[in-house]
Amino acid sequence: MQWQRLLSTQRFKRVDGEVRPTRTPATSEGAPGLRSDFHIDHDRVVFSSAFRRLGRKTQVHPLAQHDHTHNRLTHSVEVASVGRSLGNRVGAMMAHAGVLPAGTTPFDIGAVVQVACLAHDIGNPPFGHTGEDALRDWFRDPARATLLAGLTPAEARDVQTYEGNAHSLRMLASLEMYAGEGGMRLTAAAIGALIKYPWTASAEPAYARDKFNVYQSELPYFDRVADELGLVARGPGQWARHPLSYLMEAADDICYAILDLEDAVEIGILDAAEFEKLFSKFAEVEKLWTAPSVRQRCAMLRGMAIGRCVTEVAEKFMLHQDTLLAGAFQGKDLIDVCAPEIRETLLEAKKLASQKVYRHRTKLVTEIAAFPCLTTLLDVLVPAVAARVRGERLSARHALALGLMAEAPVEDGDSLYLGYMKVLDFVGAMTDNAAASLAREISGVGIL
């Protein structure tokens, strides 16, 4: 892979089902020189309704009442900040090494990574990863197998494996802005940097842990983007990762490893002493103890730890640049090849969160409730869509259920696969509050 192609500013649209390049010069959407192509990408993501909805979607604590805990929106903004710092630093190092393409600045690298970070969780369903599990479990229940009749194996695999990463690409490429005509039409570089798992649900890597980034519905689009970027093909529906996606991934890992614990201290699940013990190795101790409150001490530690991680990850990116460009990087991720002090501290942080935060009773109770909540919605919507697509008689209940999807209705000519994807679009786009409220309303509980 070559940087000149990997930083392509080409955008793509869909015309009559065909993916075509489209040029939208930066000067056409603003004063000359004030917004680069990547700044336009940034603004399109930030002003999208999907990004705005992240403000009421779970980061760690579903339906959290505390004002200082993170939701998916604040998490995404902070990941984007770290990603921009990583990208800027790497860009400066690339310029110093003489490998930055002509006409590209170090800040362009930072901007590409920032856009990818902003959009990395835009496809997450209500209730986070638990929501993903609930949507998958519903479609995988053997009692519902007849609803899958008529789908190809690849299509069935898609609807049985709701994946927030794949829905992020679907949001950007199909649903938002130019709906059905290329979505937000972001640059190829930004799309490439976003894709952590560049394969379909039917490709071999997806079976290891149900992680993938490309639904069948977006496969033609991503195939065209991958060709533009020169991503290494590894088989049908499978490519090597864009090198900058490793920086996006690292920014996300750094933030959730550190900030999930900071949230836990804030709401009283974790003792501040445990947080301070874990991250004090990165601190200037004499400054730390001048902080007047626990919250400020934790904030200082968080800032120092992130700064150390950014420096280390950028250095390791440059060290492994050749293997990243060849699609032959052997590490699990960039954190995996960092200095032991960085790598082991972040691993300890994730372990501590797993033991004391993710399994805390307050979180477990709400996550368990997510299953009947999303089941209630799918029990109403999916059979109605199946009847509509298959031309069966619609019951009164089916007709009412289809009315809920009025903004993106199932239409004549829609395949069963597209109908089910529209259900997943509808349910997956909901905030935690909206899903809980609608499930309660249609269940009949509290109707009087």
Side-chain angles (χ1 to χ4, degrees):
M1 294 183 280
Q2 300 174 342
W3 281 117
Q4 191 68 50
R5 293 184 66 182
L6 289 167
L7 297 175
S8 171
T9 58
Q10 184 60 264
R11 304 173 189 276
F12 294 94
K13 61 183 177 181
R14 293 193 190 201
V15 180
D16 298 327
E18 181 183 348
V19 181
R20 300 178 185 175
T22 179
R23 273 290 174 191
T24 306
T27 53
S28 71
E29 298 196 26
L34 294 184
R35 289 204 302 168
S36 72
D37 283 293
F38 305 131
H39 291 148
I40 291 171
D41 287 346
H42 171 279
D43 294 349
R44 289 184 178 183
V45 173
V46 166
F47 281 92
S48 69
S49 58
F51 185 72
R52 190 161 56 248
R53 286 193 298 268
L54 294 178
R56 286 187 175 269
K57 291 199 176 190
T58 295
Q59 169 57 21
V60 175
H61 307 283
L63 304 172
Q65 300 298 312
H66 199 288
D67 289 342
H68 291 277
T69 55
H70 289 79
N71 52 49
R72 285 285 170 181
L73 182 62
T74 50
H75 168 73
S76 297
V77 170
E78 291 176 353
V79 171
S81 179
V82 174
R84 182 186 61 217
S85 295
L86 277 169
N88 287 347
R89 182 175 285 269
V90 165
M93 297 167 80
M94 289 171 62
H96 180 74
V99 297
L100 196 63
T104 303
T105 73
F107 301 110
D108 287 329
I109 305 298
V112 172
V113 179
Q114 181 183 28
V115 172
C117 290
L118 280 173
H120 83 283
D121 273 347
I122 208 167
N124 269 35
F127 311 112
H129 295 304
T130 300
E132 288 179 317
D133 290 336
L135 294 172
R136 293 169 181 175
D137 284 359
W138 194 94
F139 277 102
R140 290 178 179 181
D141 187 335
R144 301 184 177 104
T146 56
L147 290 168
L148 303 181
L151 298 177
T152 68
E155 291 171 343
R157 174 80 175 150
D158 274 3
V159 300
Q160 289 182 308
T161 318
Y162 186 103
E163 224 298 319
N165 292 288
H167 241 80
S168 291
L169 177 60
R170 182 164 168 79
M171 284 287 186
L172 300 180
S174 298
L175 303 180
E176 285 280 339
M177 197 168 173
Y178 297 102
E181 298 178 358
M184 293 188 199
R185 299 181 183 176
L186 303 186
T187 61
I191 292 293
L194 169 73
I195 305 302
K196 185 176 176 181
Y197 309 105
W199 49 77
T200 66
S202 301
E204 182 182 353
Y207 286 90
R209 53 193 182 106
D210 284 340
K211 291 292 186 182
F212 65 100
N213 249 115
V214 187
Y215 287 127
Q216 294 299 308
S217 51
E218 279 64 58
L219 181 56
Y221 174 89
F222 188 72
D223 188 43
R224 187 67 184 83
V225 170
D227 181 66
E228 172 70 18
L229 296 170
L231 300 185
V232 176
R234 288 183 168 167
Q238 183 181 350
W239 296 265
R241 291 173 64 177
H242 190 297
L244 294 184
S245 72
Y246 287 91
L247 295 181
M248 179 274 294
E249 176 185 37
D252 187 28
D253 283 352
I254 291 166
C255 285
Y256 84 73
I258 299 172
L259 295 169
D260 286 0
L261 293 183
E262 188 178 11
D263 275 356
V265 172
E266 185 71 44
I267 64 178
I269 291 177
L270 185 69
D271 191 283
E274 294 181 90
F275 186 91
E276 292 168 0
K277 179 181 178 181
L278 188 58
F279 296 109
S280 60
K281 66 191 74 174
F282 300 132
E284 298 176 42
V285 178
E286 64 278 7
K287 290 184 179 180
L288 181 65
W289 297 112
T290 63
S293 68
V294 168
R295 179 181 292 165
Q296 288 183 321
R297 283 205 303 276
C298 289
M300 289 176 66
L301 279 172
R302 173 241 301 152
M304 294 173 187
I306 289 175
R308 286 287 300 278
C309 289
V310 165
T311 300
E312 175 69 13
V313 168
E315 290 176 354
K316 290 304 184 286
F317 181 94
M318 293 304 296
L319 181 64
H320 293 274
Q321 182 185 184
D322 289 345
T323 56
L324 290 167
L325 288 170
F329 180 64
Q330 295 298 309
K332 173 178 170 285
D333 50 43
L334 287 175
I335 301 296
D336 190 47
V337 296
C338 282
E341 181 182 52
I342 300 292
R343 181 180 67 251
E344 291 169 10
T345 298
L346 293 181
L347 286 174
E348 287 176 34
K350 293 176 183 179
K351 182 178 179 181
L352 182 60
S354 179
Q355 293 173 341
K356 295 196 174 183
V357 181
Y358 303 151
R359 298 295 93 189
H360 192 271
R361 185 183 183 280
T362 57
K363 179 172 169 59
L364 292 176
V365 168
T366 309
E367 289 189 340
I368 291 170
F371 283 83
C373 172
L374 296 181
T375 292
T376 296
L377 300 181
L378 295 179
D379 280 346
V380 168
L381 295 169
V382 177
V385 168
R388 171 75 170 83
V389 172
R390 290 168 173 168
E392 300 170 358
R393 185 187 71 83
L394 293 180
S395 68
R397 188 172 192 245
H398 288 162
L400 292 169
L402 291 171
L404 293 173
M405 298 171 57
E407 290 190 12
V410 178
E411 300 174 331
D412 293 342
D414 281 353
S415 66
L416 188 63
Y417 172 68
L418 180 56
Y420 288 171
M421 291 304 291
K422 287 184 175 181
V423 172
L424 292 175
D425 295 338
F426 176 70
V427 175
M430 287 183 176
T431 63
D432 297 3
N433 306 69
S437 177
L438 182 59
R440 184 169 56 251
E441 290 169 351
I442 66 177
S443 70
V445 173
I447 194 170
L448 296 178

